[in-house]
Amino acid sequence: MATEAAHGPLRCLLDGSLSAFDSDVRRRPYHRNCGCALHRAGACSNVLPCSSSHISYPIHRSWSPLSISASDPAASSPCVAIRLAGDPGIVGLMSKQMKEQLEREEKNKYSIIIPTYNERLNIALVIYLIFKHLRDVDFEVIVVDDGSPDGTQDIVRQLQHVYGEDRILLRARPKKLGLGTAYYHGLKHASGNFVIIMDADLSHHPKYIPSFIRKQLETGASIVTGTRYVSGGGVHGWNLMRKLTSRGANVLAHTLLWPGVSDLTGSFRLYRKSVLEDVITSCVSKGYVFQMEMIVRASRKGYHIEEVPISFVDRVYGSSKLGGSEIMEYLKGLIYLLFTT
Amino acid sequence: MKHILKILTLLLAFSVIWIILLETSVIPRTYTWLLPVYLIVSLGCYGLLMVGVGLMLFPTCPQDAVLLQKDIIEAKEFLKDKGVDVGSDRERTLL
Ligand SMILES: Nc1nc2c(ncn2[C@@H]2O[C@H](COP(=O)(O)OP(=O)(O)OP(=O)(O)O)[C@@H](O)[C@H]2O)c(=O)[nH]1
Ligand SMILES: [Mg+2]
C-alpha cells in the first residue's frame, strides 16, 4: 500500500543500520557489473578521498534492528560515511533493492501457530498437510491447546514422534482461555521471523501457505492475509443465512471502517513476527472481532498488507467453538473499533 | 485521527453544505429540506445493493471440498501407517 512506500525513506532514518558495501560485492560476485544502486555507490566512492566507502542502508526486517557489518577485516580501513539524510532518492532506491536481495537470500523461518480446542482428528490431518505442502521451507508448528478433553494433546504427541519434536511444539495451557490469548501464548514460543496463523479445523487448507510466503517475498509485505471474497477464493458449505450475515457484516464494516482489506474476519494470515507482536498487544477483542481488530489496527498503523485468495471449506469434523450472540458481539466490536482506531 | 472523527468531519461537511443551500436558496427550499432524507435513503440502497450483489456473486468452491476429501483420505492412510490414532469413531461427519 502507498503508506508503506512513503514509510520507506523515513524508516531508514530511524533504523539507520550500517554496512560496508564493498564486502557485500565481494561476497556476491554477481553484483559486480549489475549497475545497481549498490554498485553505483561503489563508483561514487572513487571520487571521495578514501580507499573504501562505508554506506548505510536500511534493512527492511523489522523483527530485529540488526546491523550487518563488514566481516572482512581488510575492508575496515578508514572510510567515509555517506550520510543517510543526504540523498533520500538514492537511499530509497537502495533500500528497495537491498530489501529484495536480503529477503531472498536469508533463510526465513516460519512459525505456524495453530490454536486447538477439541480438534483431535483435525490437528493430525492439518499437520500432515502442512508437511506435505511445505517441503523446502524452514518452519515449525506450534500447537496451542487449551486442555481439550478429547485428547488432542495425545494426538499431537504421537505426531511429534512421526515428525520430530523440534518441528512440532506443543504449548498447552491448562484450561480454555480463549483464542486471542492463545495466539499470544504461541507467539511467545515462536522462533521464526515470520508467523503464520491458521485454524485447525481444515477450513484453512495448508496448500495455500506457499502462496502466502511467495506473496510476502514478492512484495515485502508485513502482513499477508487470506481473503475469501475475491475471484480465486471462495466458501463452501455455508447456508444462505450464514452467507447473508457474512455479507451484511462485511458491507457494514467496510462502510464504517474503510479498512482497505476485503476479508476482515478471516484468520488465515502471515505476519512478520515483530508486526504481530506490535499489533497483538493493542488488541483486546474476542472471537471474530479479534481478527477484525488485528487487521484494522495494523492497517491504521500503516503496515503493508497484501492479500491472497483462499478457499474456505466449512469444517468437516468437530464442532464450531464460536457461537451464541455473535451478531451482537460483532456490532459492539464495530462500534468499539470506530472509537478507538 | 480516530476514525469516528473522520466520519464526523464528513457529516459536518455535508451539513455545512446543506445549511448554505438552505440559506442561499439556490434551489427551492422544499427540495433542500428533503436532501438529507435522500442521502439516508441512497445510503440504505447502497447497503442493500452491496449485500444483494455480494450474495448473488458469493464465490463458492465446491471443487475444493472434493479435493479436501481426497486429502483427508490420503492423510488418514499415511497417519494410520505411522501409528497415529485417527479413528474417527467419536467424530461426526457433516459432509
Ligand atoms: N486454544 C484455543 N483454541 C481455540 C479456542 N476456541 C477456538 N479455538 C480454535 O480456533 C480455531 C477456530 O475455531 P472455530 O470454532 O472453528 O471458529 P470459526 O472457524 O471462526 O467458526 P466456524 O466457521 O464455525 O468453524 C479452531 O482451530 C479451534 O480449535 C480456545 O478457547 N482456545
Ligand atoms: Mg472454523
Side-chain angles (χ1 to χ4, degrees):
Chain A
M1 259 169 252
T3 35
E4 180 83 354
H7 216 70
L10 248 175
R11 263 284 266 295
C12 20
L13 296 179
L14 299 172
D15 282 13
S17 332
L18 290 163
S19 167
F21 267 117
D22 40 2
S23 72
D24 259 322
V25 176
R26 226 163 287 152
R27 266 183 282 135
R28 300 172 180 145
Y30 48 82
H31 242 299
R32 204 149 279 164
N33 295 313
C34 62
C36 69
L38 188 153
H39 206 204
R40 248 178 284 135
C44 99
S45 80
N46 294 341
V47 188
L48 299 164
C50 80
S51 52
S52 85
S53 84
H54 199 242
I55 194 167
S56 315
Y57 65 87
I59 297 171
H60 246 265
R61 277 180 302 190
S62 26
W63 46 275
S64 77
L66 193 83
S67 63
I68 295 182
S69 51
S71 53
D72 189 352
S76 54
S77 41
C79 58
V80 177
I82 296 177
R83 280 309 191 77
L84 263 176
D87 190 341
I90 286 189
V91 170
L93 198 67
M94 286 190 304
S95 77
K96 193 153 177 285
Q97 297 210 340
M98 293 314 297
K99 180 184 72 185
E100 278 167 14
Q101 192 111 34
L102 277 168
E103 266 176 349
R104 217 158 285 154
E105 281 175 28
E106 82 193 343
K107 279 313 265 177
N108 286 324
K109 184 171 183 185
Y110 300 86
S111 300
I112 304 172
I113 299 180
I114 309 181
T116 57
Y117 188 76
N118 286 349
E119 306 281 6
R120 177 187 173 81
L121 181 51
N122 286 328
I123 190 66
L125 302 175
V126 157
I127 285 180
Y128 167 81
L129 291 171
I130 289 174
F131 277 88
K132 179 183 167 194
H133 288 280
L134 291 181
R135 289 249 182 250
D136 37 37
V137 177
D138 186 15
F139 72 94
E140 66 185 359
V141 179
I142 301 172
V143 180
V144 183
D145 186 71
D146 275 4
S148 309
D150 76 338
T152 303
Q153 293 181 28
D154 299 335
I155 296 288
V156 175
R157 276 186 213 103
Q158 290 176 18
L159 288 162
Q160 282 179 327
H161 289 311
V162 178
Y163 291 106
E165 279 181 35
D166 52 330
R167 306 300 297 281
I168 301 175
L169 314 178
L170 177 57
R171 296 289 177 260
R173 299 189 297 176
K175 64 175 199 288
K176 197 169 189 306
L177 295 167
L179 204 49
T181 52
Y183 292 132
Y184 190 72
H185 184 79
L187 184 61
K188 279 192 294 194
H189 299 282
S191 68
N193 53 335
F194 285 95
V195 173
I196 294 166
I197 281 175
M198 63 189 293
D199 287 358
D201 60 1
L202 287 176
S203 338
H204 296 158
H205 199 294
K207 71 183 169 194
Y208 292 107
I209 296 177
S211 66
F212 279 77
I213 293 174
R214 212 176 314 122
K215 189 76 172 185
Q216 198 287 323
L217 288 176
E218 278 166 11
T219 61
S222 300
I223 302 176
V224 181
T225 171
T227 175
R228 297 163 282 188
Y229 304 126
V230 295
S231 66
V235 173
H236 178 83
W238 281 7
N239 58 18
L240 189 66
M241 197 53 210
R242 184 97 194 253
K243 284 181 186 172
L244 188 69
T245 33
S246 156
R247 277 315 303 174
N250 229 28
V251 169
L252 199 63
H254 272 100
T255 352
L256 289 179
L257 292 173
W258 320 336
V261 187
S262 65
D263 192 344
L264 289 167
T265 49
S267 51
F268 195 176
R269 292 180 186 152
L270 180 150
Y271 293 85
R272 229 176 256 280
K273 191 181 173 197
S274 59
V275 172
L276 182 57
E277 279 165 349
D278 178 21
V279 175
I280 208 167
T281 44
S282 45
C283 288
V284 297
S285 311
K286 293 190 170 59
Y288 282 118
V289 184
F290 175 76
Q291 307 297 350
M292 186 161 74
E293 183 173 10
M294 292 273 280
I295 207 78
V296 170
R297 285 199 188 279
S299 146
R300 299 278 193 263
K301 285 186 184 205
Y303 288 119
H304 182 173
I305 305 173
E306 289 284 339
E307 297 189 304
V308 288
I310 57 162
S311 66
F312 182 99
V313 180
D314 208 24
R315 59 160 72 242
V316 184
Y317 301 108
S319 56
S320 176
K321 280 99 210 169
L322 285 172
S325 52
E326 263 168 55
I327 297 177
M328 274 321 289
E329 286 300 314
Y330 183 82
L331 292 178
K332 268 191 247 164
L334 211 59
I335 292 166
Y336 165 74
L337 284 182
L338 263 179
F339 279 89
T340 58
T341 65
Chain B
M1 189 157 73
K2 294 269 185 273
H3 195 75
I4 189 78
L5 292 181
K6 283 187 209 164
I7 291 177
L8 287 179
T9 326
L10 213 67
L11 284 179
L12 198 75
F14 273 120
S15 35
V16 166
I17 293 172
W18 185 55
I19 289 168
I20 291 175
L21 284 178
L22 262 183
E23 292 299 312
T24 55
S25 46
V26 242
I27 41 176
R29 271 193 166 221
T30 38
Y31 289 165
T32 323
W33 273 114
L34 283 176
L35 275 183
V37 180
Y38 289 152
L39 195 75
I40 291 167
V41 169
S42 53
L43 207 67
C45 284
Y46 162 82
L48 284 182
L49 202 80
M50 289 301 284
V51 173
V53 168
L55 211 57
M56 257 158 41
L57 304 177
F58 208 99
T60 54
C61 48
Q63 72 288 353
D64 278 286
V66 179
L67 290 178
L68 180 63
Q69 286 302 324
K70 284 198 193 121
D71 283 338
I72 288 175
I73 292 166
E74 182 190 318
K76 276 188 177 169
E77 246 158 46
F78 176 85
L79 292 171
K80 219 174 272 168
D81 277 356
K82 295 281 179 184
V84 179
D85 175 20
V86 285
S88 58
D89 300 332
R90 273 180 266 176
E91 307 284 345
R92 66 197 165 99
T93 313
L94 295 177
L95 269 189

